């Protein structure tokens, strides 16, 4: 018997937004340069090919040093630009020099591949506190699943980075005092490593092959807790590779084809709302939606997979469903307001979470929270108004004990999938869930 892990739901596009009984804090209008685009991209349009979610101000103090950040783009392209954010920085950051290159291994880049980056024609620029900085475009052909090395020279003193903390990818830096090594293509100066991503928000491409961008918007199970460092084995990564293989197969068969990028906007521990206890330790989804979803380019689909941490923090079913309804409405409204095609909004059911006793700053998990999880999941499947639903719960739950994760797919903490669990999810997602209708 064939198991179907998804359903497609036809809904009207809502342009209004009504929120009752909840507070949305910190949502601000985006500058024009930060407003996203929606629908299948036309010729010459920018498409977000890689991205991450900043979540905190890092503790590391950077002084007169170069960082080499690694980003794997998910579609091919002919021209590239980068976006830097200083979302959690209280001070301006001077970018003394920047460069883009093909990464080979570790901090080593392909000989002769380095392209200097400019910002408004200048080789250096100021990244303001809370602000965004775009590089100028650079002609540089890239492949899908190719690692790019983005090198930033930070000439300032004791500069703390705005960062994504759990990148699950190793990046590199010179020691403090190492100076400008953005043009150095060797490994030699980059003797220190980091597994956070500093300042880099996204990589965009102009691509004749692009059908648009899928945004995966979620918590630690999207971010990749319990995956292997540098293995690119999150469910998002597995899905990206499958999309690429399907695209290649179509080309080999002589069929016209386009490829969708997929970007990871997950944050470990993230919640839908702020109305939980203990308070969330990252900006909730309703507050970061503009920054982490609606500011991207070529958005055709948004996968919304979040809620388990609200339940863990004593959130109610009503708080979660109200927050998710607001997210759905705001995504559709942004697409309509832009004049583009509203993105397809894909819901995801929450996977099981095993009971655990409370501890300091953690209210634990119990049978009542599992009951609430099942109630929210039923709402996601039948009432939420998503365009489609991916049933991650059904993919990984134990057949005999459906409030538990199958043992081989459990990381061991009763919360996250194991690498095999992530693969199971990524492999089970039907590519047809993202359609071929140009959205």
């Amino acid at each position: 018997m064939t198991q179907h892990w998804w359903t497609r739901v036809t809904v009207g596009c809502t342009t209004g937004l009504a929120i009752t009984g909840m507070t949305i804090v910190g949502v601000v209008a985006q500058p024009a340069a930060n407003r996203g685009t929606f629908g299948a991209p036309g010729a010459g349009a920018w498409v977000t090919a890689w991205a991450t979610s900043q979540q905190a101000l890092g503790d590391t103090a950077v002084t007169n040093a170069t960082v080499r950040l690694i980003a794997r783009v998910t579609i091919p392209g002919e021209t590239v630009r980068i976006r830097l954010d200083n979302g959690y920085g209280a001070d301006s950051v001077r970018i003394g020099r920047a460069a883009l290159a093909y990464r080979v291994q570790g901090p080593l880049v392909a000989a002769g591949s380095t392209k200097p980056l400019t910002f408004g024609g200048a080789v250096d620029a100021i990244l303001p506190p809370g602000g965004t900085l775009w590089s100028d475009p650079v002609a540089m052909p890239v492949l899908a699943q190719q690692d790019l090395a983005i090198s930033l020279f930070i000439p300032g003193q004791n500069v703390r980075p705005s960062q994504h903390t759990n990148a699950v990818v190793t990046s590199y830096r010179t020691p403090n005092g190492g100076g400008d090594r953005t043009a150095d293509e060797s490994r030699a100066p980059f003797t220190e490593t980091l597994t956070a991503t500093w300042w880099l928000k996204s990589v965009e491409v102009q691509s004749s092959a692009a059908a648009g961008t899928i945004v995966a918007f979620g918590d630690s199970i999207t971010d990749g807790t319990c995956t292997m460092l540098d293995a690119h084995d999150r469910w998002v990564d597995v899905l990206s590779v499958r999309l690429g293989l399907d695209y290649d197969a179509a080309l080999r068969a002589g069929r016209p084809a386009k490829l969708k990028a997929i970007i990871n906007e997950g944050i470990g521990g993230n919640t839908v709302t702020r109305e939980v206890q203990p308070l969330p330790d990252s900006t909730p989804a309703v507050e970061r939606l503009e920054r982490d979803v609606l500011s991207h380019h070529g958005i055709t689909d948004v996968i919304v997979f979040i809620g388990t941490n609200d339940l863990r923090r004593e959130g109610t079913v009503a708080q979660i469903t109200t927050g998710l309804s607001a997210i759905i409405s705001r995504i559709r409204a942004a697409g309509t307001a832009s004049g583009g095609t509203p993105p397809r909004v894909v819901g995801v059911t929450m996977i099981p979470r095993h009971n655990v006793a409370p501890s300091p700053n953690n209210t634990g998990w119990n049978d009542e929270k599992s009951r609430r999880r099942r109630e929210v999941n039923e709402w996601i499947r039948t009432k939420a108004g998503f365009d489609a639903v991916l049933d991650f719960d059904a993919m990984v739950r134990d057949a005999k004990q459906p409030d538990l994760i199958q043992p081989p797919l459990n990381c061991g903490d009763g919360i996250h999938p194991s690498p095999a669990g992530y693969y199971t999810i990524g492999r089970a997602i039907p590519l047809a869930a993202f359609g071929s209708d140009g959205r």
Side-chain angles (χ1 to χ4, degrees), residues 240-250 252 259 431:
S240 178
V241 170
R242 290 181 59 227
L243 288 166
L245 293 173
D246 188 64
Y247 167 74
D248 290 342
R252 287 196 301 271
L259 176 60
L431 303 186

Side-chain angles (χ1 to χ4, degrees), residues 79-104:
T79 308
V80 183
R81 69 178 181 181
I82 69 166
R83 170 182 163 185
L84 305 176
D85 275 13
N86 192 21
Y88 293 88
D91 301 308
S92 295
V93 178
R94 183 183 168 207
I95 308 299
R97 289 285 190 281
L100 182 66
Y102 301 134
R103 194 272 281 265
V104 174

